[in-house]
Amino acid sequence: MPGLEKKSVFMAAEMDSEMAAENTVAKNTDKAVNEPKLHAVSAALYDADDETFIYGKNMRDSMANASTTKLLTCIVALEKADINDMVTVSKNAASQPAVKLGLVAGNSYNMKDLLYGMMLESFNDCAYAIAEHVGGSTEGFAKLMNEKANEIGCLGTYFITPNGLDAENDVSFHHSTAGDLCVIMSYCAWKSPKSAQFLEITQTGQYTFESADSRVVFSNHNRLLTETDYCISGKTGFTTKAGYCYVAAVEKDGRKMCLSLLGCGWPNNKNYKWADAKAMVAYAASRSETDSDSNETSVSATIQQTGDTQTTDKQAAGKEDGNKIDLKYLENNRKNKKIRKNFLKNFTINIGNFF
């Protein structure tokens, strides 16, 4: 999108605002009390109209992000391919772990059906089949994903797999940040030339898939679509490394906002993300009322960061290859490791994404 590359969401100007905000928080105990109490290790709340962050918690920490990856997989596929394409499934795609549709290697499927399977049920085999069709290979598609992320200002994102399953290569591990995921969702929901198609898919409650030998109904796992009147899109995710994750697009009181939650509990706490998401939207509403009364700026005075570094426009301009990332984003989130330590001792098999 024109101008987005010039307006990185983490501009140097925001650092000055955050430094001033830290002093404000120290003096304003009322706002501190009103901050959302979240289960998530990392979270962000983003005003898509102003392109500023309303709230952040460790929002620039590099985190495994599970199936929230499929947001970018979906929008890249919609922009690069025809939704009516026929996709031939490879052995690699068919062999992806659960959760999966059960695609048969050598068979061909409609791209539209695969997109619905990926976004509603989070089917991993659908994601791989789409990626190989669009990018020629999963590596080729990952390059397209990372280029798109960098293009819209998400310099803290590095994707290896199209389905979000945990992975590492000689560059880094598969990760994003809570802040970046908000910007990605904002692009998908409102700024992409394919936003209408994206929303049509992700807002569908149920979708019927029919093949030569089966008929399956896909159900949308985004509970906020039915539990609230403000959620317009969202994607859940889970891996043993990432924990429960959730990203959503919201339209409330005339505002377009995105929220993201990473490391939002591990089994048996899959419902934490719904409570956290609602708490963040409520916080935005209360902030809006407070800001109207006091004529404050839209940059929140409550952004909490741990070990973040600012990326300048000069650094962003030097990033030409979508598969090359700044080393400052490669550090794992230590807090995240501690939280999942005991769980991983007893549950070491990556079982993919489930809800």
Side-chain angles (χ1 to χ4, degrees):
M1 295 291 291
L4 281 175
E5 67 275 12
K6 296 180 181 178
K7 190 173 183 181
S8 171
V9 293
F10 304 132
M11 294 185 298
E14 286 190 12
M15 178 168 281
D16 295 334
S17 297
E18 290 169 19
M19 290 175 65
E22 289 176 1
N23 295 329
T24 304
V25 171
K27 297 176 182 178
N28 194 334
T29 56
D30 289 338
K31 287 185 181 179
V33 170
N34 291 331
E35 288 179 16
K37 307 298 183 184
L38 305 180
H39 300 92
V41 173
S42 179
L45 182 62
Y46 180 72
D47 188 314
D49 292 315
D50 293 341
E51 298 186 355
T52 56
F53 285 95
I54 303 165
Y55 172 84
K57 176 184 178 183
N58 305 321
M59 73 174 191
R60 294 182 200 155
D61 285 2
S62 298
M63 303 273 289
N65 64 295
S67 275
T68 60
T69 298
K70 290 166 182 165
L71 294 169
L72 198 58
T73 302
C74 182
I75 206 66
V76 169
L78 287 172
E79 290 182 357
K80 297 290 186 180
D82 191 309
I83 197 169
N84 295 311
D85 280 356
M86 294 303 295
V87 178
T88 302
V89 177
S90 70
K91 290 182 179 179
N92 181 39
S95 65
Q96 290 304 302
V99 174
K100 61 193 295 184
L101 174 58
L103 300 177
V104 178
N107 286 1
S108 295
Y109 300 84
N110 188 277
M111 170 72 81
K112 182 178 179 180
D113 291 335
L114 297 180
L115 287 168
Y116 274 91
M118 177 179 72
M119 297 308 291
L120 271 59
E121 294 282 359
S122 208
F123 289 141
N124 291 316
D125 51 356
C126 290
Y128 261 75
I130 291 167
E132 291 174 347
H133 175 78
V134 176
S137 65
T138 53
E139 294 78 12
F141 189 77
K143 187 174 187 293
L144 294 177
M145 295 175 80
N146 291 326
E147 286 173 348
K148 175 58 70 175
N150 286 358
E151 175 191 325
I152 62 177
C154 298
L155 305 183
T157 294
Y158 180 72
F159 288 159
I160 300 171
T161 67
N163 54 13
L165 292 182
D166 301 327
E168 291 188 39
N169 60 19
D170 57 356
V171 176
S172 184
F173 70 104
H174 185 103
H175 68 268
S176 188
T177 70
D180 275 9
L181 287 168
C182 282
V183 176
I184 289 170
M185 175 55 95
S186 177
Y187 177 78
C188 291
W190 298 296
K191 297 180 174 67
S192 168
K194 296 296 183 178
S195 288
Q197 284 187 325
F198 173 85
L199 290 177
E200 181 180 355
I201 293 170
T202 57
Q203 290 177 357
T204 299
Q206 290 188 328
Y207 180 85
T208 301
F209 165 78
E210 296 191 31
S211 65
D213 56 357
S214 66
R215 183 176 185 273
V216 182
V217 176
F218 301 156
S219 296
N220 198 322
H221 291 269
N222 179 13
R223 274 176 40 186
L224 255 62
L225 278 176
T226 55
E227 291 185 356
T228 73
D229 61 359
Y230 51 72
C231 181
I232 67 163
S233 183
K235 185 70 190 77
T236 58
F238 175 85
T239 68
T240 56
K241 184 176 183 179
Y244 291 108
C245 304
Y246 181 57
V247 181
V250 168
E251 292 184 355
K252 184 174 175 60
D253 300 329
R255 301 177 75 183
K256 294 177 180 177
M257 297 178 289
C258 296
L259 64 89
S260 61
L261 300 160
L262 298 176
C264 194
W266 276 259
N268 294 305
N269 297 309
K270 66 180 181 180
N271 290 325
Y272 280 176
K273 58 184 176 289
W274 308 124
D276 278 12
K278 291 174 182 177
M280 292 178 77
V281 174
Y283 173 75
S286 67
R287 286 287 300 162
S288 181
E289 293 174 1
T290 302
D291 290 350
S292 295
D293 292 339
S294 59
N295 195 31
E296 293 177 351
T297 64
S298 60
V299 178
S300 171
T302 57
I303 296 177
Q304 307 167 23
Q305 303 300 340
T306 57
D308 286 342
T309 53
Q310 198 74 19
T311 300
T312 66
D313 290 339
K314 182 178 180 180
Q315 290 170 323
K319 188 186 297 297
E320 297 178 354
D321 186 340
N323 281 325
K324 294 179 181 179
I325 61 173
D326 200 308
L327 292 177
K328 63 172 63 103
Y329 291 106
L330 303 186
E331 184 180 357
N332 265 310
N333 187 295
R334 294 181 180 177
K335 185 184 295 186
N336 187 24
K337 286 184 176 181
K338 284 184 179 180
I339 290 177
R340 69 173 192 271
K341 182 178 180 182
N342 292 332
F343 171 66
L344 290 178
K345 284 183 179 178
N346 301 313
F347 194 77
T348 56
I349 300 175
N350 188 332
I351 60 172
N353 305 314
F354 69 91
F355 308 91

